[in-house]
Amino acid sequence: MSSVPSIALNDGNTIPQLGFGVFQIDPDETAEAVTTALDAGYRHIDTAEMYRNEQGVGEAVRASSLSRDDVFITSKLNNGFHEPDEARRAFEGTLTALGLDRVDLFLIHWPLPTLYDGDFVSTWKTLEEFKADGRARSIGVSNFQVEHLRRLEAEADVVPAVNQIELHPYFLNEEVRVYGEDHGIATEAWSPIAQGAVLDDPVVTRIAGRLDRSPAQVVLRWHIQRGGIVFPKSVTPVRIRENVALFDFELEAGDVDAIDGLDQGESGRTGPNPDRFAYVPS
Ligand SMILES: NC(=O)c1ccc[n+]([C@@H]2O[C@H](COP(=O)([O-])OP(=O)(O)OC[C@H]3O[C@@H](n4cnc5c(N)ncnc54)[C@H](OP(=O)(O)O)[C@@H]3O)[C@@H](O)[C@H]2O)c1
């Protein structure tokens, strides 16, 4: 799996372009799924405090024979903890749950512009502390819209290394992606196969048939060729292995264009709109 490319981040660090996502994996099943992923060659795991499974991620990484430096681990600040002191406590909680002394990337999970008097800037400045003291090698955001990124640019010192956003063939989220490209912010694509919704699309199945690859491999390869960072989730070992086998085939330019053409704009969004999302877990 040395063939998974790395993407350079704006702070000098690098991130493996392909990882393994653990959203909606039962906490009790997470260590086993992550172990399967590490055995299959994944070296990048995307978790979050909100997923309640950081512990299983840490357990699997520690139980593996890999050195800590060989696995890139991302976690995220939960929505109830945007106040600076809460964010500091939550970050310590993340490190404790993972059983690690640092993460490779720590993100603000959602901007929550309708909560906290619209102040995500003081939250971001708190993440800057974690980067400065080395406990987060890189820091970034998730679900930030262009106006949120502009505000950080105007009011903060550190430019986010990444913005993790919903992005798949039915929702290219192009305005946010292009803003990132123009400002040195790497875009990570969440729900890269739209939780399976794009896999029956005739454009995708036709390309898959011609290349003798699965629809999921075609869509993930499309992300890779567009320069995106992806971490598909699966609890199914055969799919976990299938989703990492992306580096011995290529889509033609016409295939990439045809999949680009599936974009449905805002109506292709499957998750919440970040401008309005205000969920705080109890
Ligand atoms: N920052 C955010 O707000 C945010 C939001 C959502 C997701 N994320 C991150 O992005 C990661 C991926 O997104 P996601 O989990 O929403 O969705 P996804 O990766 O697009 O899709 C996962 C779903 O597709 C199925 N699947 C996986 N591989 C398949 C294959 N080869 N063939 C057929 N079906 C397949 C899985 O089923 P089985 O598991 O049953 O195999 C699961 O139901 C998450 O795990 C999380 O790390 C972040």
Side-chain angles (χ1 to χ4, degrees):
M1 284 318 309
S2 54
S3 51
V4 175
S6 283
I7 300 274
L9 301 177
N10 64 16
D11 59 5
N13 294 325
T14 59
I15 183 170
Q17 196 179 3
L18 176 72
F20 182 67
V22 298
F23 177 44
Q24 292 175 326
I25 301 186
D26 189 289
D28 292 338
E29 293 170 13
T30 301
E32 190 184 337
V34 173
T35 296
T36 305
L38 295 173
D39 288 347
Y42 294 80
R43 295 292 180 266
H44 164 185
I45 313 292
D46 185 88
T47 184
E49 207 263 356
M50 198 187 287
Y51 307 163
R52 300 179 302 113
N53 57 19
E54 290 167 312
Q55 206 170 336
V57 171
E59 213 178 293
V61 171
R62 282 194 311 280
S64 76
S65 55
L66 296 164
S67 97
R68 172 66 187 89
D69 286 342
D70 290 337
V71 188
F72 189 103
I73 299 176
T74 300
S75 195
K76 315 185 191 87
L77 180 70
N78 209 339
N79 289 352
F81 306 128
H82 276 213
E83 300 273 5
D85 276 345
E86 296 277 6
R88 291 182 191 108
R89 266 195 293 277
F91 183 59
E92 280 167 22
T94 279
L95 293 178
T96 303
L98 286 165
L100 300 173
D101 55 11
R102 67 162 168 85
V103 289
D104 298 284
L105 178 62
F106 194 64
L107 309 179
I108 300 179
H109 206 148
W110 290 88
L112 306 176
T114 63
L115 301 180
Y116 301 101
D117 295 324
D119 172 25
F120 45 76
V121 177
S122 61
T123 313
W124 176 249
K125 291 188 178 199
T126 310
L127 265 65
E128 291 181 353
E129 294 171 13
F130 310 154
K131 178 162 174 62
D133 68 25
R135 290 181 301 158
R137 292 191 70 216
S138 295
I139 53 174
V141 294
S142 179
N143 299 300
F144 272 46
Q145 305 276 59
V146 167
E147 65 179 285
H148 307 140
L149 297 170
R150 281 216 176 95
R151 195 161 151 213
L152 290 188
E153 190 180 13
E155 298 181 39
D157 295 327
V158 177
V159 176
V162 312
N163 185 20
Q164 181 177 129
I165 56 173
E166 181 178 348
L167 197 165
H168 46 72
Y170 289 160
F171 184 50
L172 297 192
N173 214 339
E174 197 60 358
E175 193 193 343
V176 182
R177 190 196 65 77
V178 168
Y179 182 92
E181 190 170 76
D182 292 347
H183 291 80
I185 303 168
T187 294
E188 298 188 328
W190 64 250
S191 292
I193 57 172
Q195 300 199 340
V198 297
L199 302 182
D200 294 330
D201 192 286
V203 168
V204 172
T205 55
R206 179 178 48 76
I207 297 168
R210 196 191 77 234
L211 295 175
D212 197 19
R213 294 287 170 160
S214 74
Q217 287 176 317
V218 166
V219 174
L220 294 168
R221 181 71 207 179
W222 166 82
H223 283 281
I224 296 289
Q225 287 186 211
R226 296 170 93 244
I229 300 166
V230 280
F231 22 82
K233 169 266 177 188
S234 178
V235 290
T236 314
V238 68
R239 291 176 173 174
I240 293 174
R241 289 189 282 274
E242 176 183 317
N243 294 348
V244 77
L246 305 178
F247 301 98
D248 58 349
F249 75 105
E250 273 188 35
L251 305 184
E252 293 170 4
D255 298 333
V256 174
D257 290 347
I259 299 175
D260 284 350
L262 298 177
D263 186 25
Q264 298 171 2
E266 196 56 37
S267 62
R269 190 193 282 281
T270 62
N273 186 316
D275 290 328
R276 295 189 290 276
F277 190 60
Y279 166 70
V280 174
S282 50

